[in-house]
Amino acid sequence: MTVTLYHYLMLAGVLFAIGFFGVLLRKNTLVIYMCLELMLIASTIVLVAFSRYNGTMDGNVFVFFILTVAAAEVAVGLAIIVALFRRRMTIQVDELNALKN
Amino acid sequence: MNNLPVDLLLLSIATPLAVALAIALGLPKRHAIKLAYVGFGVPAVIACYLWSQFPANPGAEYAFMTSYATGLEGLGIKLTLGLNGISMPLFMMAGIVGLAAGLYAIQSGAERLKIYLMLLLVMHAGLMGMFASIDIFFFYFFHELALIPTFIMVGIWGGRDRGYAAMKMTIYLTVGAMLSLIGLIAIYMKSGAESFDMITLRNELLMNPMRDSTQTTIFGLLMFGFGILVSLWPFHTWAPLGYGAAPSSVSMLHAGVLKKFGLYGLVQIALPLVPAGAMEWAPMLAWLALGNIIIIGLITLAQRDLKQMVGYASVMHVGYGFLGVACLSVLGAGGAVLFMVAHGLSVSLLFLLTTSIHHRTGTFDMDQMGGLAQKAPVLAAFFLTAVLASIGLPGPGLLNFWGELTIFMAVYDHAQWMVVPAVLGVVISAIYGLRAVGRVFYGPATEAFQCHQQGRVIEDLRWNERIPAIILLVTLIGLGIWPKAISTSLNSALEAIYPAVEALTVHVAGQ
Amino acid sequence: MFATIFYLFAFLSVGSALAMVFNRNTVHSAMFLLLSLVGVAGVFALLDTGFLALLLIFVYAGAVVALFLFIVMLLDMQGGERKPFRPAAIAAGVVTAGLLVVGLVSFSGAVQALHAPEAASVLPVGVNLKHYANQLFTTYLLPVQVVGFLLLIAMLGVIVLSKRFEGLEDIK
Amino acid sequence: MAPTQLAFLLLLTPLASALLTALFFRRSPAVGRALSLAAAAAIVVFSSMLIFATDGFSRSAEWLVIGPLTIELGFLVDDLAKLMLFVVAFVGFLIHVFSVGYMKGDANAARFFGCLSLFMFSMIGLTLADDLIMLFIFWELVGLSSFLLINFYYDRPAAVAASKKAFIVNRIGDFGFLIGIILAYWAFGTITLADIALRLDTSPELVTTTIALLIFCGAVGKSGQLPLHVWLPDAMEGPTPVSALIHAATMVAAGIFLLCRVAVIMTGDALTVILWIGVATALFAGVTALGQRDIKRILAYSTISQLGFMVAAFALGSLLALRSGVDGALAGLAGGAAAAMFHLTTHAFFKALLFLGAGSIIHSSHHEQDIYRLGGLARRMPITFATFTLGTLALVGAPFLSGFFSKDAILLLAYQYDPKVFVLLLIGAFLTSFYMTRLWVITFLGVPRTDHAAHAHENGLTMTIPLIFLAVGAVLAGYTWFYPEALAVVPRFAHGLLEGEGHTLAAVAGTGVFVVGAALGFLLYRPGAREDFLQTRMPALYRTLEQRLFIDALYDWYVAKVQQRFALLLNFLEQIFLSGLIIRGFAGLVGLVGIGARALHVGSLHAYVHWFLLGAVILWAIAAGLF
Amino acid sequence: MNTEMLQAAAASNQWLAIFPELMLGCLALFLLVLEMVLPKKQHELIPTIAIIGQGAVLVGLLINYRTAFIGEETFNGMLLHTSGGQFLRCFFLLASILVSILGMVALAKQRMPRIEFFHIVIVVSAAMMLLAQSNHFVMLFVALETITIGFYILVSYTRTNPLSLEAGLKYLIMGALSSAILLFGIALLYGVAGNPALAGATAEAMNFGALQVFLQANPDNLLAAIGIVLVLAGVAFKIGAVPFQIWIPDVYQGAPTPVTSFLAVASKAAGFAILLILVRVFGPYHSVIVPVLTAMAIATILFGNLAAITQHNVKRLIGLSGVAHAGYLLIGVIAAMTQPLAVGAIFFYLLAYLLGSFAVFGVMTHVAGPDDADQDLDHYADLGKTHPFLAMVLAVGLGSLAGIPPLAGFMGKLLIFIAAFKAGLYLLLVVAIIGVVISIYYYFGWIKAACFPSLRAPLTEGEADPTPARTPVGLAAGITLATLALASVLLGLYQGPFGEWLSLH
């Protein structure tokens, strides 16, 4: 039983799918946001795995950027969530539907 | 023939636009009105002057040709202006109707007159450009330029139901315009000439006509596109509604001139360029045109609202134009052009007078009118003349008569039996025309009208209403008495550019 | 041995991810996210990129998850989701899950069709930390600069969205 | 002056008068009257010059050329035109003079005279036309002026309705006329009459017959033949001089003129149809006249009846000529045209006289037109009485007056052609005599039945002089020596017919029915009777006659109940189905879809993420080749 | 890695090539410095300085429009300078200037800090400019994320308004999701293209040129196809193509109006900039991307137009109409795969769209009340009477968007149609025409609401006027709006130098 690229990619795929599923399932904005982070991480696995198996550096460097960007995104996102919570006293997505139709 | 000191054609388009711009930039009302006279007058003067300079036997040649690059030469688009025997009469008609409509608008005292005049001037520029364009792209372009102010003017200054009417009109016309635009682009694409220039296209297609199936598709697009624009039955319902709601000058320009776009397009572009396609569609077109003449004719009989009735009547009459086109011959097309000129003049006259009637009766409902002739005999005389002209009675409507006669001749040549329903339309239009005259002007005044009269003076047609009417009437009668003034060059042009059409017709007849 | 470690990390990350998704407590979810990230970091390490594994832990565990927890605490909503799942939502979830599984199967097929090289035959480039530096300061210099600006506007954004301003008393 | 110029001058003089009046002198009756009268006088002068000083000529110019269509308009002055011109100019002038008196004091007299000039213009143009199109143009213009004059009193609903009816019914006739012209053009390749005569053999017989009948449709409309006669009695709503000029002497006779003009294309079948229509009209109108009480209406039916005679005469003469093997081209003038035109001429004089006489009566009795409200006018209006009597005698065919000769010629032709027709026309002549006697007796004899009639008195000179002149014409127009040389061709030809076989019989029979009719009239209609004989004895019959055999009612029913309802139905269908169901329905459908699409934005993030999932799945499927 | 290589790599970092972007970055920083240095009272000046600075950069960019870098790769293949890229740089800069001007007007109604707004707008537009020239997935991703994060902030900028924050949250979640999808796609493509087991494998798998070569060599790799569609999905989110358009109305409504305009114009254009680059790269997989894009275009045109016709909130309306515009542009993108003419057509369309949109947004900014999210068609009642200038600009802008001659929008549509015709995309053409016809309804409905005399019953006493007070038109805004309207007209009448794009062969 050897571990090949296939396994890494499937792991990434499964995590990506779980993340996606979580986004669809959860109503708490914070958890949704966590799931999104998970999806990003799943993508990084793909990059790292390919980088390793293809012998090129680009994927790894890309991951570096992704982590940076994700951190910034989280900061901004959480700031928005906090501000929203302060105004609306909820972060449940099904209650955040003042904008519709 | 091209040694004019300035490019008058461009000037005739640019003057109204420039005046409109000046008004838009905030000219005071007093000056705006003075300038508007210039804006409407110059094109008319130019149109008449060019007409007087126009060669008698131009053949396929265009006179007064000029060309300007607008940046799309790469696509074969160039602002090329010029007039041939087909467009000259219409160009002149546009100038004259524009002048009349403009004069009428200036005196109308509409609310926010400046903006009204501005939009009308833009519309007028579009009309002049439409007939002066050799480039079919600009032909379309100018049409739309004229169309859009229509919508706004109907919406702002319109009468009953203006919102709905404006909307319906615009959507209908957009559908028509889009179909015809695609048709025109298709000609551009499929001709292989890679040019929108009508002359280039014609030369190219004369040598290498498109495949028959392509032609059929293109003509279908153009026919239905133009058909919607010209209110071909059953795509006409926007027209009476729109004209019923539109302010008078807009109805005049739209029904009189703008609407000729489609018929002109069929005569000038569709028939010569895609004759085989025309062959395929001609029977259908003829049937629909008969729908215009008979069905709309009868519907006109049922109208109580005077302006609606005039609107329906104008819809009915364009059926003759389509019928002429459907004959696929020099005769039919020539008749259609003659008829277009006549129809443009007479229908705009009718709309003008209808509004003048409205000013005096306060209603368009014919059941509430009556006996206006006693108060306004001159108006009655003008209206009667206009009605008689529009029903093609020789005399005031001699030009209409020539047009109709030529079309009937062509129709008989094309499909003998069809002449019967076609001519029947003449009877129908006489019925509703005279009925309207009778109801509005003759007989004793109705109670409603008497109520309306109380406390106000019903004056006769004022001079500033009279002058535009006279302009139209004199042109109409003059051309009617001496139709050769337009028919000679028209015939020469048609003979020169219709060989393909005629050959095809003869070929089929020979089978 | 290698495989066992891989599966350990893999199951750790997948299991924690599932736990994160299905746990109703937001704090627990955040913790499971952290756990899942640890698993991923392990996988990274197996892929000879220890640097990235460390970075992942630092950035995510040290910053992101901490931030999440901080916010959860701040907003005081450990209570999790109050409402039970509605049947429609469950049905949607099942369908969604089904679609995702189908997607995964398809993905698996596609990946299998790819003739992957053997790991042993390729030089592990990610091991050498110097490579990262070289790349970042030569080839990827411009993106690095851009990321700098990105961080700057993110910072400004957080300030704008959170700071108390004079005259903006409406933030409770 | 060249003949063409003269013709132009002749044509444009009345037009100028009309235009000047319309443009500048609408409000000054005096100027309008003077202008019009001057124009009428000028017409007499110019037409005399044209008739007497020039030979026949024709001149045409290209007017419109489009593709294969060439339309040439021009003048044709021949014997036919000259005779017609003579009638138009002289009768027209006399009626102008009469109008001066008749319209005195009417504020709108300028309009009246302007329209009269317009009519003269149109009629002259019609007379001089050398081709079908020009004929048609002026034909329509004549109709227009007729329309304008009928509704001269446009505040009266009846006048308005009558004018509309006249115009539309004429238009229906013209519908056929126009199609006929179109057919003729494609059959013969020309619309010029002279050229058509040369190219007769280019068209098959059936087509020629069709063309002939279609053109005859025009004549049916204008000359009030069955079934398009309904407008003519109603047209009496116009001022009486108009009735005299247009609806008795000239315009309605234009149909006959038209037939004579296109005589060359007549075929046997066409002529047979024309003959029977003429005969039927003659009889029908004669019968109907018996049920009328309005003096002008009686005269109008009389006119219709006489026009039926003329049409029949034309057909009979032409048929006879055809039977005797004369070539079609010559058949026209040889046979029917002469008889018809001769009767037209004499009729123009005596019928104009009768109408003016009626006008004189109406004018002096405060517009009383019901004969049963008149009476005893013989003594009060001696000149009118005398001239009217002469006119009546001429009309009924009393020997040695003009009507005698022209009617005799027609009877003779009928006798020669077919005894059946002869008998029917004799009945027609008898009816003429009968109803005219009724009219004469009731109106002039006895005592006045109303104050209006009692206060009647003779009119001024402007009205009586024309009566006298016309009476002279009515007496003498039957004699060939009456006509100047240039005009004598047609009368002489007609007199020539009288020399034919059976002329004694025809003359005797004609005189006989006149005597019988007059006697019967005197017997049944007593002077001073207050009620109509038929009305008291046979009310049902009288009512039928009064209602003009219900033909008008039938038309009214058709217009109101069939045509208008059909129009309303179509309008309804358009509003409901086309505008409503299809267009609005389609728009509504689009709007519904739009509302649906808009409703998809539920505001919930989950729903939106599902969209993304959906999109990703579809895209994935496309990538995997599932689509 | 030896030193020479590194030096070569360093040498390829030609900063001059991105001078405008650098200047924008400096300008952004300078604004922050000014905020600290200048006394509070003179903070009013900062937006003006921001606008003037951007204007100066734009002028410089236009002067050096035909730079020597065109056709060159710089920064080790991170960027590829093209003439199209040059246009888009100007385009984005122009857009950011206009957004800044609108921001000046709109933010005056809010008591929000303002300098940050301009700072972020400038940085985002610089990122867009880089994005339009990117030639490498890393560059693309970083620039894209800069833009996206900038927009997260901008959308929720008026944090006093919960709707703005809600819009920000929605944009945040959807944006992050699309980023994740995009990223997954990029990762797959990177992996496949770098796979040494495959023919044409490349070490520079993130580089577009190399990737294209690889794809050419392997035209039917399933994983690559999946990667491609995932990348397209990510881009589709940016341009708002169905089914990734669903967020648009909500976010547009909640965002402050200037930001909405930025989203509607620049963000969309950025998406198309990427898409134009990517369809070239993905060209060998046309059997995948053509159906994808075709289906998207059809659905986008129909959905956008249909959903808009009953819409009453003008911000949502213009969002949905923007969806439809994305559909028309997608037709151009598809045509661009075979017809070089289409690229020029897209550019022209974008320019016309910019002019028309900003004219409309400018008017919206003036008509909007303090609640930025609540902008109803009814608020436009009698605009023609009270503010004829605004009404005229609105009519021109909407007319141009609707594609009415003689306005620029018509020429844009015409060129797209011609390109589509040349490419034989008849089905799309039919759909586009249906879309245009439907769109007339709501565009003219808007004009109707603004210009036509309204039939509203007069207010009863004590009833509050539901129409918010309109902002008076300032000089700068007035000139801007007039210029936009005039440019829309002139560009429709005379294309002049822009016509050159259409002969890009």
Side-chain angles (χ1 to χ4, degrees), chain E residues 198-218:
Chain E
L198 293 175
T202 168
E204 299 279 334
M206 296 269 193
N207 186 291
F208 291 158
L211 182 61
Q212 188 183 15
V213 172
F214 169 80
L215 290 176
Q216 214 123 41
N218 298 274

Side-chain angles (χ1 to χ4, degrees), chain D residues 530-569:
Chain D
R530 293 211 162 251
E531 294 245 298
D532 192 88
F533 157 76
L534 275 180
Q535 199 173 10
T536 47
R537 298 292 172 78
M538 286 178 266
L541 177 65
Y542 180 79
R543 192 171 149 63
T544 311
L545 293 179
E546 192 187 22
Q547 291 299 315
R548 312 148 205 181
L549 303 181
F550 298 107
I551 293 178
D552 291 48
L554 182 72
Y555 284 169
D556 288 345
W557 175 82
Y558 164 76
V559 170
K561 296 290 156 71
V562 179
Q563 180 189 291
Q564 189 63 16
R565 284 192 182 174
F566 187 56
L568 284 169
L569 176 72

Side-chain angles (χ1 to χ4, degrees), chain A residues 23-24 26 96-97 99-101, chain D residues 598-599 601-603 606 609:
Chain A
V23 172
L24 286 164
R26 297 303 300 258
L96 292 174
N97 58 355
L99 293 167
K100 63 180 173 186
N101 288 330
Chain D
R598 189 183 144 198
H601 299 99
V602 290
H606 275 152
V609 177

Side-chain angles (χ1 to χ4, degrees), chain B residues 149-159 162-163 165-166 245-247, chain E residues 448 451-453:
Chain B
T150 314
F151 164 77
I152 298 175
M153 286 189 278
V154 171
I156 299 182
W157 290 276
R162 59 173 170 243
Chain E
K448 188 172 138 187
C451 297
F452 292 9

